[in-house]
Amino acid sequence: MIKYQEIILNDEVIKDLIHLSKLWVLENNCYGMVENTIDDLKETGFLAYDDERLVGYIFGSFYNNEKKTSYIEVGKKCFEISELYVIKEYRHLGIGRHLFKLLEDKIKLDKEVKYLTLATSNKDYESILKFYCEDNDMNFHSAFLIKNLN
């Protein structure tokens, strides 16, 4: 049975989160993914455990939008998801969706937060868009596409 808890960074959690980021890098499913360091970790988020084994996490941070965009007004408080990762063999269990919902519900407690945002570089863009847009009700706003000409 999967258990969930809020992130409290301690030596064991830091070690486990960095280990999972190594697994993520080895999957080679995201462009530019590198192993986390302690400086990359955030305390706002949730962990998913199968018994004592960390099998997934989501974390991010609050920010105030400082640049004028067509979709978020200057000065609005937002939350940006930095990372959401679930070990491959656990992905069919809905853990990612549950982690997302836990984080969303926590963020909604802060009535000043107006937007939940993220950027992704997953190579399987169809699955990642389905996950965020269809499964978690996010809106697709823009895409940054690259074609290597060399």
Side-chain angles (χ1 to χ4, degrees):
M1 178 180 208
I2 304 300
K3 294 192 169 106
Y4 300 90
Q5 69 181 52
E6 282 195 60
I7 291 177
I8 299 172
L9 289 178
N10 59 41
D11 290 342
E12 183 178 340
V13 169
I14 289 167
K15 182 183 86 163
D16 288 346
L17 286 170
I18 290 174
H19 172 72
L20 259 59
S21 80
K22 290 177 187 178
L23 296 178
W24 194 353
V25 169
L26 291 173
E27 281 189 47
N28 194 30
N29 63 357
C30 292
Y31 297 101
M33 184 69 191
V34 295
E35 179 183 317
N36 282 336
T37 68
I38 191 169
D39 295 331
D40 299 315
L41 306 179
K42 311 282 189 256
E43 287 202 65
T44 303
F46 289 87
L47 306 170
Y49 286 94
D50 183 6
D51 290 322
E52 300 296 315
R53 181 182 183 201
L54 181 64
V55 298
Y57 65 89
I58 187 170
F59 61 69
S61 55
F62 295 94
Y63 70 97
N64 288 310
N65 189 44
E66 295 180 0
K67 291 195 262 180
K68 181 175 173 29
T69 69
S70 61
Y71 48 95
I72 299 177
E73 304 85 24
V74 172
K76 293 296 179 185
K77 189 172 182 181
C78 305
F79 186 90
E80 179 177 33
I81 295 173
S82 302
E83 295 183 15
L84 188 160
Y85 179 73
V86 176
I87 294 174
K88 192 172 188 172
E89 60 264 27
Y90 286 84
R91 290 188 190 144
H92 67 285
L93 300 174
I95 294 169
R97 243 186 326 269
H98 195 77
L99 287 166
F100 186 97
K101 181 70 172 138
L102 287 168
L103 183 63
E104 180 180 13
D105 288 348
K106 178 178 175 61
I107 292 164
K108 284 180 178 178
L109 295 174
D110 183 337
K111 299 297 184 196
E112 292 181 21
V113 178
K114 300 300 178 195
Y115 300 97
L116 176 60
T117 66
L118 68 91
T120 183
S121 62
N122 195 300
K123 293 177 182 177
D124 184 1
Y125 64 89
E126 291 170 333
S127 292
I128 204 68
L129 286 176
K130 179 189 178 307
F131 176 78
Y132 285 116
C133 295
E134 294 177 25
D135 298 347
N136 290 293
D137 297 322
M138 293 190 84
N139 295 314
F140 179 85
H141 187 272
S142 61
F144 181 73
L145 305 173
I146 297 173
K147 182 174 185 175
N148 188 343
L149 298 176
N150 296 325

